């Protein structure tokens, strides 16, 4: 164990050694005790049943709380960016639902979901590694407004249940900021949008990801193996009971 912890030159080999030694020390010590008291085969079955039962419970907790070994978290996927003269003119958008913003819900400025949508839009339009590359930096523009439409009703009890999810869209509108000459040593004023510049509407679709899929899959697989080992133990107990009853009858 000390040798595995001291290996730092290759994280992959170090991780493999730590997991292998942990399995040998923890489940292995339990199997050693069970094997010396119950026998090699019966001790192995009991150890396997306990291990996979514990894995089932742990994976269920992972799936309920979204912790542990999880998949991809929900994110906003940028579909397109539309440039228009006004905020309400999105007739050039490929998404038909975006043509009429009056049917959309405005996201309040203090809503955490707006911050997440703005971050996804900023990553797509600003910076050297952005997919659209409309701005060189985030300081060049100001977020004018944000809207959303679709998805499940967050106030409904059915929103937390798995099942079909209607499409969830979001629009983040930005406008180039007014260029201000700041005297040396003074703090720059708050950025304001330049009304003479066009409005860029970033249209995004919600990708629900697969955050709870890995723990659910682990829970199902562990439950199946746990059921098989328990069934083997049950059939063994029945065979032992019938053999003892037959021996008592013959005696």
């Amino acid at each position: 164990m000390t040798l595995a912890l001291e290996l730092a030159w290759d994280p992959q080999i170090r991780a493999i050694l730590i997991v292998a030694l942990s399995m040998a020390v923890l489940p292995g010590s339990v199997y050693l005790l069970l094997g010396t008291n119950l026998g090699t085969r019966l001790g192995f079955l009991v150890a396997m049943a306990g291990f996979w039962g514990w894995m089932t419970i742990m994976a269920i907790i992972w799936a309920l709380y979204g912790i542990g070994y999880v998949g991809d978290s929900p994110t906003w996927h940028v579909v397109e960016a539309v440039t228009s003269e006004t905020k309400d003119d999105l007739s050039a958008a490929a998404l038909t639902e975006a043509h009429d913003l009056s049917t959309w819900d405005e996201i309040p400025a203090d809503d955490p979901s707006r911050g997440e949508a703005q971050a996804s839009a900023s990553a797509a339009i600003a910076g050297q590694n952005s997919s659209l590359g409309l701005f060189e930096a985030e300081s060049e523009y100001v977020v004018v407004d944000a809207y959303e439409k679709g998805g499940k009703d967050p106030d409904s009890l059915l929103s937390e249940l798995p099942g079909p999810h209607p499409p969830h869209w979001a629009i983040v509108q930005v406008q180039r900021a007014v260029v201000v000459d700041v005297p040396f040593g003074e703090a720059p004023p708050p950025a304001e949008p330049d009304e003479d510049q066009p409005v860029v509407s970033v249209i995004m679709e919600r990708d629900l990801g697969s955050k709870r899929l890995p723990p659910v899959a682990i829970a199902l697989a562990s439950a199946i193996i746990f059921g098989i080992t328990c069934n083997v133990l049950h059939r063994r107990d029945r065979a032992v009971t019938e053999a003892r009853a037959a021996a008592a009858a013959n005696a």
Side-chain angles (χ1 to χ4, degrees):
M1 179 66 76
T2 304
L3 177 62
L5 294 176
E6 290 180 353
L7 284 176
W9 57 276
D10 193 334
Q12 184 177 5
I13 296 179
R14 181 184 182 186
I16 293 174
L17 288 177
I18 291 176
V19 173
L21 289 175
S22 299
M23 293 293 294
V25 171
L26 298 176
S29 61
V30 175
Y31 170 64
L32 179 62
L33 293 174
L34 292 174
T36 54
N37 288 274
L38 301 177
T40 305
R41 295 182 179 179
L42 181 58
F44 177 77
L45 288 175
V46 173
M48 288 290 290
F51 174 76
W52 291 111
W54 171 75
M55 285 290 296
T56 304
I57 297 174
M58 183 180 64
I60 291 175
I61 295 175
W62 284 353
L64 290 177
Y65 293 96
I67 58 176
Y69 180 65
V70 295
D72 297 330
S73 299
T75 55
W76 286 108
H77 174 66
V78 177
V79 178
E80 60 177 328
V82 180
T83 303
S84 58
E85 295 298 329
T86 61
K87 293 171 47 179
D88 300 330
D89 184 15
L90 273 76
S91 57
L95 180 65
T96 308
E97 290 81 356
H99 294 173
D100 186 9
L101 284 181
S102 62
T103 60
W104 291 61
D105 298 326
E106 185 175 0
I107 307 176
D110 57 350
D111 193 331
S113 62
R114 174 164 175 166
E116 182 184 358
Q118 290 181 184
S120 300
S122 176
I125 64 176
Q128 296 180 352
N129 298 326
S130 59
S131 58
L132 301 178
L134 301 179
F135 301 93
E136 294 183 0
E138 296 183 12
S139 58
E140 294 184 357
Y141 64 88
V142 178
V143 177
V144 179
D145 218 332
Y147 303 89
E148 67 175 344
K149 183 177 182 180
K152 286 188 175 181
D153 185 5
D155 298 330
S156 175
L157 296 177
L158 300 178
S159 61
E160 299 296 333
L161 298 178
H165 292 265
H168 189 186
W169 306 90
I171 297 178
V172 176
Q173 295 182 324
V174 302
Q175 200 169 20
R176 188 172 291 274
V178 177
V179 179
V180 180
D181 293 332
V182 181
F184 180 78
E186 295 185 6
E192 295 183 359
D194 189 352
E195 301 296 339
D196 297 331
Q197 296 293 328
V199 177
V200 179
S201 301
V202 184
I203 303 176
M204 299 174 291
E205 184 180 5
R206 188 67 169 175
D207 183 1
L208 297 178
S210 58
K211 187 174 184 178
R212 287 178 169 82
L213 180 60
V216 169
I218 293 175
L220 291 176
S222 300
I224 292 174
I225 301 176
F226 174 70
I228 292 175
T229 53
C230 289
N231 181 52
V232 173
L233 286 171
H234 174 66
R235 290 189 289 108
R236 182 189 179 280
D237 289 343
R238 289 185 57 183
V240 171
T241 302
E242 292 175 357
R244 290 177 177 176
N250 294 331

